[in-house]
Amino acid sequence: MAAPDLLFGLRNNFYLGAYQAAINNSDVPNLSQEDAIDRDCLVYRSYIALGSYQLVANEIDSSAATPLQAVKLLAFYLSSPDSKETTISSLHEWLEDPAIGNNPILRLIAGIIFMHEQDYNEALKYTNVGGTMELHALNVQIFLKMHRSDYAEKQLRIMQQIDEDHTLTQLANAWLNLAVGGSKIQEAYLIFQDFSEKYQMTSLILNGKAVCCMHMGNFDEAESLLLEALNKDAKDPETLANLVVCSLHLGKPSSRYLNQLKLSHPDHILVKRGSSAEESFDRAVQAIA
C-alpha cells in the first residue's frame, strides 16, 4: 500500500486555483527532503500565479535545488518579457545538462514556458515522455492547443490508468470534453459541478462551469458565474476574456472588460486577435480611401 500523500491538500488547492489557500496551508509537518522541495515548488508557483514574481526571485537563492531554480526561471520569464531570450537560453542550457536535464519539475517548467511561446513541438520534446501527473496533464493542454484531441485523449487514458479520481485526471477530462463539444459539454459541466461541491470555489472552477454554460447557450447563468469569479479576482484574464464573449452574446457592453484585459494582460490571445482585426479593418479603410 502506497504511503499517504502528505501534500494532497496543498496540491489540490494549487491544481484548482486556490493559490492563497495553498500558501496559507503549506506548513506541513514531517516532510522528507524531497517532499519539502515539492512543497516549496507548489508554494512558489502559487505566488507566481498570484503575480508575486519578485518575491519568488528574491527568496530562491542560487544554492536552492534544481526544481526550485526552475520555478525561479519561470518567475523571471513571466516578469521580464524583454529579457525572455536570455531566460530561454538559460533553460536550454539546463535541459542539455545530463546531471539535471531530466528533472521532472524542470521539464514541466520548460513545457509551460514553450507553451506560452506557442512552440508546442519544443514543449513536447520535454513533456511527452510524462513521468508525473502534472506532465501528463500539460501534454493534454498542449495537444488541445494543437487541435489534436486524439493525442490528448491518449494522454488522458494514461492518466485514468494511473489514477482515475485524481484532480488532474478529472480536470484533463473536462478540458477534453470541452474541446470535443456536443454531448460531452454536459459531462464537463458535471466535473466542474462536482469540484464546486467538494472544494473551495475558485475562479478556475467558476470559469469552467461558465464556459460549459456558454457552450450550452445558457449565457445568463454563465454571466452570474463569471461575475462571482470577478469578485474573487478582478484581474483574472480568463474571467475577463469570458465576460467579453458572454456580454457580446447577451447584447451587453463588453468594452470595460476588454479594456481591463488590455491593461492587465496585453498579451492575451483575445487582445491580440482584437488588435489584429482592428489593424486589418484600418488597412481596408485606407485602401478604400
PDB file of all heavy atoms in Angstrom, residues 213-241:
ATOM      1  N   CYS A 213     -21.583  26.477 -19.654  1.00  0.00           N
ATOM      2  CA  CYS A 213     -22.890  27.133 -19.820  1.00  0.00           C
ATOM      3  C   CYS A 213     -22.973  27.867 -21.152  1.00  0.00           C
ATOM      4  O   CYS A 213     -23.997  27.806 -21.850  1.00  0.00           O
ATOM      5  CB  CYS A 213     -23.149  28.111 -18.670  1.00  0.00           C
ATOM      6  SG  CYS A 213     -23.505  27.297 -17.109  1.00  0.00           S
ATOM      7  N   MET A 214     -21.883  28.571 -21.521  1.00  0.00           N
ATOM      8  CA  MET A 214     -21.888  29.303 -22.799  1.00  0.00           C
ATOM      9  C   MET A 214     -22.018  28.342 -23.976  1.00  0.00           C
ATOM     10  O   MET A 214     -22.754  28.596 -24.915  1.00  0.00           O
ATOM     11  CB  MET A 214     -20.625  30.176 -22.923  1.00  0.00           C
ATOM     12  CG  MET A 214     -20.661  31.400 -22.030  1.00  0.00           C
ATOM     13  SD  MET A 214     -19.434  32.660 -22.481  1.00  0.00           S
ATOM     14  CE  MET A 214     -17.972  32.002 -21.724  1.00  0.00           C
ATOM     15  N   HIS A 215     -21.296  27.210 -23.898  1.00  0.00           N
ATOM     16  CA  HIS A 215     -21.400  26.208 -24.963  1.00  0.00           C
ATOM     17  C   HIS A 215     -22.829  25.685 -25.087  1.00  0.00           C
ATOM     18  O   HIS A 215     -23.273  25.326 -26.175  1.00  0.00           O
ATOM     19  CB  HIS A 215     -20.456  25.022 -24.674  1.00  0.00           C
ATOM     20  CG  HIS A 215     -19.056  25.230 -25.162  1.00  0.00           C
ATOM     21  ND1 HIS A 215     -18.698  25.122 -26.483  1.00  0.00           N
ATOM     22  CD2 HIS A 215     -17.918  25.547 -24.492  1.00  0.00           C
ATOM     23  CE1 HIS A 215     -17.401  25.346 -26.614  1.00  0.00           C
ATOM     24  NE2 HIS A 215     -16.894  25.611 -25.422  1.00  0.00           N
ATOM     25  N   MET A 216     -23.533  25.622 -23.945  1.00  0.00           N
ATOM     26  CA  MET A 216     -24.908  25.101 -23.954  1.00  0.00           C
ATOM     27  C   MET A 216     -25.945  26.202 -24.186  1.00  0.00           C
ATOM     28  O   MET A 216     -27.140  25.962 -24.153  1.00  0.00           O
ATOM     29  CB  MET A 216     -25.195  24.361 -22.635  1.00  0.00           C
ATOM     30  CG  MET A 216     -24.352  23.107 -22.460  1.00  0.00           C
ATOM     31  SD  MET A 216     -24.783  22.096 -21.009  1.00  0.00           S
ATOM     32  CE  MET A 216     -24.110  23.051 -19.652  1.00  0.00           C
ATOM     33  N   GLY A 217     -25.449  27.437 -24.395  1.00  0.00           N
ATOM     34  CA  GLY A 217     -26.359  28.551 -24.687  1.00  0.00           C
ATOM     35  C   GLY A 217     -26.969  29.207 -23.460  1.00  0.00           C
ATOM     36  O   GLY A 217     -27.860  30.046 -23.582  1.00  0.00           O
ATOM     37  N   ASN A 218     -26.500  28.852 -22.263  1.00  0.00           N
ATOM     38  CA  ASN A 218     -27.041  29.433 -21.014  1.00  0.00           C
ATOM     39  C   ASN A 218     -26.202  30.650 -20.601  1.00  0.00           C
ATOM     40  O   ASN A 218     -25.454  30.597 -19.626  1.00  0.00           O
ATOM     41  CB  ASN A 218     -27.038  28.383 -19.885  1.00  0.00           C
ATOM     42  CG  ASN A 218     -27.826  27.146 -20.245  1.00  0.00           C
ATOM     43  OD1 ASN A 218     -28.728  27.205 -21.054  1.00  0.00           O
ATOM     44  ND2 ASN A 218     -27.469  26.024 -19.639  1.00  0.00           N
ATOM     45  N   PHE A 219     -26.356  31.735 -21.352  1.00  0.00           N
ATOM     46  CA  PHE A 219     -25.455  32.881 -21.136  1.00  0.00           C
ATOM     47  C   PHE A 219     -25.767  33.650 -19.852  1.00  0.00           C
ATOM     48  O   PHE A 219     -24.865  34.225 -19.244  1.00  0.00           O
ATOM     49  CB  PHE A 219     -25.481  33.809 -22.356  1.00  0.00           C
ATOM     50  CG  PHE A 219     -24.863  33.175 -23.569  1.00  0.00           C
ATOM     51  CD1 PHE A 219     -25.663  32.613 -24.559  1.00  0.00           C
ATOM     52  CD2 PHE A 219     -23.485  33.089 -23.696  1.00  0.00           C
ATOM     53  CE1 PHE A 219     -25.088  31.996 -25.664  1.00  0.00           C
ATOM     54  CE2 PHE A 219     -22.898  32.476 -24.795  1.00  0.00           C
ATOM     55  CZ  PHE A 219     -23.706  31.928 -25.786  1.00  0.00           C
ATOM     56  N   ASP A 220     -27.026  33.653 -19.422  1.00  0.00           N
ATOM     57  CA  ASP A 220     -27.360  34.344 -18.164  1.00  0.00           C
ATOM     58  C   ASP A 220     -26.678  33.660 -16.974  1.00  0.00           C
ATOM     59  O   ASP A 220     -26.103  34.325 -16.104  1.00  0.00           O
ATOM     60  CB  ASP A 220     -28.883  34.372 -17.950  1.00  0.00           C
ATOM     61  CG  ASP A 220     -29.560  35.365 -18.888  1.00  0.00           C
ATOM     62  OD1 ASP A 220     -29.033  36.477 -19.046  1.00  0.00           O
ATOM     63  OD2 ASP A 220     -30.607  35.021 -19.473  1.00  0.00           O
ATOM     64  N   GLU A 221     -26.751  32.321 -16.947  1.00  0.00           N
ATOM     65  CA  GLU A 221     -26.091  31.577 -15.861  1.00  0.00           C
ATOM     66  C   GLU A 221     -24.578  31.768 -15.931  1.00  0.00           C
ATOM     67  O   GLU A 221     -23.919  31.957 -14.910  1.00  0.00           O
ATOM     68  CB  GLU A 221     -26.435  30.081 -15.939  1.00  0.00           C
ATOM     69  CG  GLU A 221     -25.900  29.296 -14.753  1.00  0.00           C
ATOM     70  CD  GLU A 221     -26.153  27.791 -14.813  1.00  0.00           C
ATOM     71  OE1 GLU A 221     -26.975  27.337 -15.630  1.00  0.00           O
ATOM     72  OE2 GLU A 221     -25.496  27.066 -14.034  1.00  0.00           O
ATOM     73  N   ALA A 222     -24.046  31.749 -17.171  1.00  0.00           N
ATOM     74  CA  ALA A 222     -22.604  31.954 -17.359  1.00  0.00           C
ATOM     75  C   ALA A 222     -22.186  33.310 -16.808  1.00  0.00           C
ATOM     76  O   ALA A 222     -21.177  33.423 -16.097  1.00  0.00           O
ATOM     77  CB  ALA A 222     -22.243  31.854 -18.839  1.00  0.00           C
ATOM     78  N   GLU A 223     -22.979  34.340 -17.100  1.00  0.00           N
ATOM     79  CA  GLU A 223     -22.632  35.686 -16.636  1.00  0.00           C
ATOM     80  C   GLU A 223     -22.592  35.747 -15.111  1.00  0.00           C
ATOM     81  O   GLU A 223     -21.669  36.334 -14.525  1.00  0.00           O
ATOM     82  CB  GLU A 223     -23.636  36.710 -17.176  1.00  0.00           C
ATOM     83  CG  GLU A 223     -23.257  38.143 -16.795  1.00  0.00           C
ATOM     84  CD  GLU A 223     -24.315  39.156 -17.162  1.00  0.00           C
ATOM     85  OE1 GLU A 223     -25.517  38.842 -17.043  1.00  0.00           O
ATOM     86  OE2 GLU A 223     -23.943  40.287 -17.545  1.00  0.00           O
ATOM     87  N   SER A 224     -23.575  35.138 -14.438  1.00  0.00           N
ATOM     88  CA  SER A 224     -23.592  35.216 -12.969  1.00  0.00           C
ATOM     89  C   SER A 224     -22.393  34.472 -12.371  1.00  0.00           C
ATOM     90  O   SER A 224     -21.805  34.908 -11.379  1.00  0.00           O
ATOM     91  CB  SER A 224     -24.919  34.693 -12.405  1.00  0.00           C
ATOM     92  OG  SER A 224     -25.011  33.303 -12.560  1.00  0.00           O
ATOM     93  N   LEU A 225     -21.994  33.344 -12.990  1.00  0.00           N
ATOM     94  CA  LEU A 225     -20.806  32.612 -12.529  1.00  0.00           C
ATOM     95  C   LEU A 225     -19.541  33.453 -12.725  1.00  0.00           C
ATOM     96  O   LEU A 225     -18.664  33.496 -11.858  1.00  0.00           O
ATOM     97  CB  LEU A 225     -20.672  31.289 -13.294  1.00  0.00           C
ATOM     98  CG  LEU A 225     -21.710  30.207 -12.975  1.00  0.00           C
ATOM     99  CD1 LEU A 225     -21.722  29.138 -14.068  1.00  0.00           C
ATOM    100  CD2 LEU A 225     -21.424  29.560 -11.616  1.00  0.00           C
ATOM    101  N   LEU A 226     -19.454  34.130 -13.878  1.00  0.00           N
ATOM    102  CA  LEU A 226     -18.267  34.931 -14.184  1.00  0.00           C
ATOM    103  C   LEU A 226     -18.171  36.169 -13.292  1.00  0.00           C
ATOM    104  O   LEU A 226     -17.070  36.577 -12.897  1.00  0.00           O
ATOM    105  CB  LEU A 226     -18.263  35.331 -15.665  1.00  0.00           C
ATOM    106  CG  LEU A 226     -18.046  34.167 -16.637  1.00  0.00           C
ATOM    107  CD1 LEU A 226     -18.352  34.591 -18.071  1.00  0.00           C
ATOM    108  CD2 LEU A 226     -16.624  33.626 -16.535  1.00  0.00           C
ATOM    109  N   LEU A 227     -19.319  36.759 -12.959  1.00  0.00           N
ATOM    110  CA  LEU A 227     -19.289  37.911 -12.050  1.00  0.00           C
ATOM    111  C   LEU A 227     -18.862  37.485 -10.647  1.00  0.00           C
ATOM    112  O   LEU A 227     -18.172  38.226  -9.946  1.00  0.00           O
ATOM    113  CB  LEU A 227     -20.669  38.604 -12.022  1.00  0.00           C
ATOM    114  CG  LEU A 227     -21.035  39.344 -13.320  1.00  0.00           C
ATOM    115  CD1 LEU A 227     -22.463  39.852 -13.263  1.00  0.00           C
ATOM    116  CD2 LEU A 227     -20.074  40.488 -13.616  1.00  0.00           C
ATOM    117  N   GLU A 228     -19.256  36.262 -10.263  1.00  0.00           N
ATOM    118  CA  GLU A 228     -18.794  35.717  -8.979  1.00  0.00           C
ATOM    119  C   GLU A 228     -17.272  35.517  -9.017  1.00  0.00           C
ATOM    120  O   GLU A 228     -16.572  35.809  -8.040  1.00  0.00           O
ATOM    121  CB  GLU A 228     -19.503  34.379  -8.702  1.00  0.00           C
ATOM    122  CG  GLU A 228     -19.256  33.843  -7.313  1.00  0.00           C
ATOM    123  CD  GLU A 228     -19.916  32.500  -7.038  1.00  0.00           C
ATOM    124  OE1 GLU A 228     -20.889  32.133  -7.733  1.00  0.00           O
ATOM    125  OE2 GLU A 228     -19.435  31.795  -6.125  1.00  0.00           O
ATOM    126  N   ALA A 229     -16.772  35.028 -10.175  1.00  0.00           N
ATOM    127  CA  ALA A 229     -15.322  34.840 -10.334  1.00  0.00           C
ATOM    128  C   ALA A 229     -14.605  36.185 -10.295  1.00  0.00           C
ATOM    129  O   ALA A 229     -13.518  36.309  -9.718  1.00  0.00           O
ATOM    130  CB  ALA A 229     -15.030  34.120 -11.648  1.00  0.00           C
ATOM    131  N   LEU A 230     -15.209  37.201 -10.893  1.00  0.00           N
ATOM    132  CA  LEU A 230     -14.608  38.542 -10.923  1.00  0.00           C
ATOM    133  C   LEU A 230     -14.495  39.113  -9.505  1.00  0.00           C
ATOM    134  O   LEU A 230     -13.534  39.819  -9.191  1.00  0.00           O
ATOM    135  CB  LEU A 230     -15.438  39.473 -11.814  1.00  0.00           C
ATOM    136  CG  LEU A 230     -14.760  40.762 -12.287  1.00  0.00           C
ATOM    137  CD1 LEU A 230     -13.599  40.462 -13.224  1.00  0.00           C
ATOM    138  CD2 LEU A 230     -15.761  41.679 -12.981  1.00  0.00           C
ATOM    139  N   ASN A 231     -15.465  38.790  -8.649  1.00  0.00           N
ATOM    140  CA  ASN A 231     -15.404  39.228  -7.250  1.00  0.00           C
ATOM    141  C   ASN A 231     -14.218  38.608  -6.522  1.00  0.00           C
ATOM    142  O   ASN A 231     -13.668  39.196  -5.593  1.00  0.00           O
ATOM    143  CB  ASN A 231     -16.694  38.845  -6.507  1.00  0.00           C
ATOM    144  CG  ASN A 231     -17.821  39.806  -6.826  1.00  0.00           C
ATOM    145  OD1 ASN A 231     -17.586  40.943  -7.209  1.00  0.00           O
ATOM    146  ND2 ASN A 231     -19.053  39.352  -6.704  1.00  0.00           N
ATOM    147  N   LYS A 232     -13.852  37.406  -6.931  1.00  0.00           N
ATOM    148  CA  LYS A 232     -12.718  36.713  -6.299  1.00  0.00           C
ATOM    149  C   LYS A 232     -11.389  37.271  -6.797  1.00  0.00           C
ATOM    150  O   LYS A 232     -10.414  37.327  -6.056  1.00  0.00           O
ATOM    151  CB  LYS A 232     -12.794  35.208  -6.582  1.00  0.00           C
ATOM    152  CG  LYS A 232     -13.952  34.530  -5.851  1.00  0.00           C
ATOM    153  CD  LYS A 232     -13.934  33.037  -6.064  1.00  0.00           C
ATOM    154  CE  LYS A 232     -15.072  32.370  -5.302  1.00  0.00           C
ATOM    155  NZ  LYS A 232     -14.927  32.493  -3.835  1.00  0.00           N
ATOM    156  N   ASP A 233     -11.326  37.613  -8.080  1.00  0.00           N
ATOM    157  CA  ASP A 233     -10.077  38.121  -8.663  1.00  0.00           C
ATOM    158  C   ASP A 233     -10.428  39.028  -9.840  1.00  0.00           C
ATOM    159  O   ASP A 233     -10.768  38.551 -10.926  1.00  0.00           O
ATOM    160  CB  ASP A 233      -9.196  36.955  -9.130  1.00  0.00           C
ATOM    161  CG  ASP A 233      -7.856  37.426  -9.688  1.00  0.00           C
ATOM    162  OD1 ASP A 233      -7.655  38.649  -9.797  1.00  0.00           O
ATOM    163  OD2 ASP A 233      -7.021  36.568 -10.036  1.00  0.00           O
ATOM    164  N   ALA A 234     -10.351  40.334  -9.599  1.00  0.00           N
ATOM    165  CA  ALA A 234     -10.782  41.314 -10.603  1.00  0.00           C
ATOM    166  C   ALA A 234      -9.863  41.388 -11.811  1.00  0.00           C
ATOM    167  O   ALA A 234     -10.217  41.991 -12.834  1.00  0.00           O
ATOM    168  CB  ALA A 234     -10.893  42.691  -9.957  1.00  0.00           C
ATOM    169  N   LYS A 235      -8.660  40.767 -11.726  1.00  0.00           N
ATOM    170  CA  LYS A 235      -7.708  40.856 -12.847  1.00  0.00           C
ATOM    171  C   LYS A 235      -7.499  39.517 -13.543  1.00  0.00           C
ATOM    172  O   LYS A 235      -6.644  39.418 -14.424  1.00  0.00           O
ATOM    173  CB  LYS A 235      -6.357  41.382 -12.341  1.00  0.00           C
ATOM    174  CG  LYS A 235      -6.391  42.854 -11.952  1.00  0.00           C
ATOM    175  CD  LYS A 235      -5.006  43.351 -11.565  1.00  0.00           C
ATOM    176  CE  LYS A 235      -5.019  44.840 -11.246  1.00  0.00           C
ATOM    177  NZ  LYS A 235      -3.689  45.313 -10.823  1.00  0.00           N
ATOM    178  N   ASP A 236      -8.261  38.499 -13.156  1.00  0.00           N
ATOM    179  CA  ASP A 236      -8.054  37.182 -13.767  1.00  0.00           C
ATOM    180  C   ASP A 236      -8.330  37.252 -15.266  1.00  0.00           C
ATOM    181  O   ASP A 236      -9.442  37.617 -15.688  1.00  0.00           O
ATOM    182  CB  ASP A 236      -8.978  36.144 -13.122  1.00  0.00           C
ATOM    183  CG  ASP A 236      -8.778  34.766 -13.745  1.00  0.00           C
ATOM    184  OD1 ASP A 236      -7.688  34.193 -13.565  1.00  0.00           O
ATOM    185  OD2 ASP A 236      -9.695  34.276 -14.425  1.00  0.00           O
ATOM    186  N   PRO A 237      -7.335  36.917 -16.118  1.00  0.00           N
ATOM    187  CA  PRO A 237      -7.509  37.107 -17.559  1.00  0.00           C
ATOM    188  C   PRO A 237      -8.624  36.248 -18.163  1.00  0.00           C
ATOM    189  O   PRO A 237      -9.360  36.716 -19.043  1.00  0.00           O
ATOM    190  CB  PRO A 237      -6.142  36.733 -18.149  1.00  0.00           C
ATOM    191  CG  PRO A 237      -5.465  35.921 -17.089  1.00  0.00           C
ATOM    192  CD  PRO A 237      -5.999  36.407 -15.785  1.00  0.00           C
ATOM    193  N   GLU A 238      -8.758  35.000 -17.687  1.00  0.00           N
ATOM    194  CA  GLU A 238      -9.787  34.127 -18.275  1.00  0.00           C
ATOM    195  C   GLU A 238     -11.191  34.619 -17.930  1.00  0.00           C
ATOM    196  O   GLU A 238     -12.103  34.566 -18.754  1.00  0.00           O
ATOM    197  CB  GLU A 238      -9.589  32.672 -17.825  1.00  0.00           C
ATOM    198  CG  GLU A 238      -8.288  32.050 -18.287  1.00  0.00           C
ATOM    199  CD  GLU A 238      -7.931  32.362 -19.745  1.00  0.00           C
ATOM    200  OE1 GLU A 238      -8.798  32.152 -20.628  1.00  0.00           O
ATOM    201  OE2 GLU A 238      -6.818  32.842 -20.006  1.00  0.00           O
ATOM    202  N   THR A 239     -11.351  35.119 -16.702  1.00  0.00           N
ATOM    203  CA  THR A 239     -12.652  35.669 -16.304  1.00  0.00           C
ATOM    204  C   THR A 239     -13.010  36.860 -17.185  1.00  0.00           C
ATOM    205  O   THR A 239     -14.134  36.950 -17.704  1.00  0.00           O
ATOM    206  CB  THR A 239     -12.631  36.118 -14.820  1.00  0.00           C
ATOM    207  OG1 THR A 239     -12.239  35.003 -14.008  1.00  0.00           O
ATOM    208  CG2 THR A 239     -13.994  36.597 -14.376  1.00  0.00           C
ATOM    209  N   LEU A 240     -12.057  37.780 -17.360  1.00  0.00           N
ATOM    210  CA  LEU A 240     -12.312  38.981 -18.180  1.00  0.00           C
ATOM    211  C   LEU A 240     -12.600  38.605 -19.634  1.00  0.00           C
ATOM    212  O   LEU A 240     -13.542  39.126 -20.246  1.00  0.00           O
ATOM    213  CB  LEU A 240     -11.111  39.934 -18.099  1.00  0.00           C
ATOM    214  CG  LEU A 240     -10.896  40.612 -16.731  1.00  0.00           C
ATOM    215  CD1 LEU A 240      -9.526  41.269 -16.668  1.00  0.00           C
ATOM    216  CD2 LEU A 240     -11.995  41.638 -16.455  1.00  0.00           C
ATOM    217  N   ALA A 241     -11.799  37.676 -20.182  1.00  0.00           N
ATOM    218  CA  ALA A 241     -11.995  37.260 -21.581  1.00  0.00           C
ATOM    219  C   ALA A 241     -13.363  36.593 -21.756  1.00  0.00           C
ATOM    220  O   ALA A 241     -14.087  36.871 -22.729  1.00  0.00           O
ATOM    221  CB  ALA A 241     -10.875  36.305 -21.998  1.00  0.00           C
TER     222      ALA A 241
END
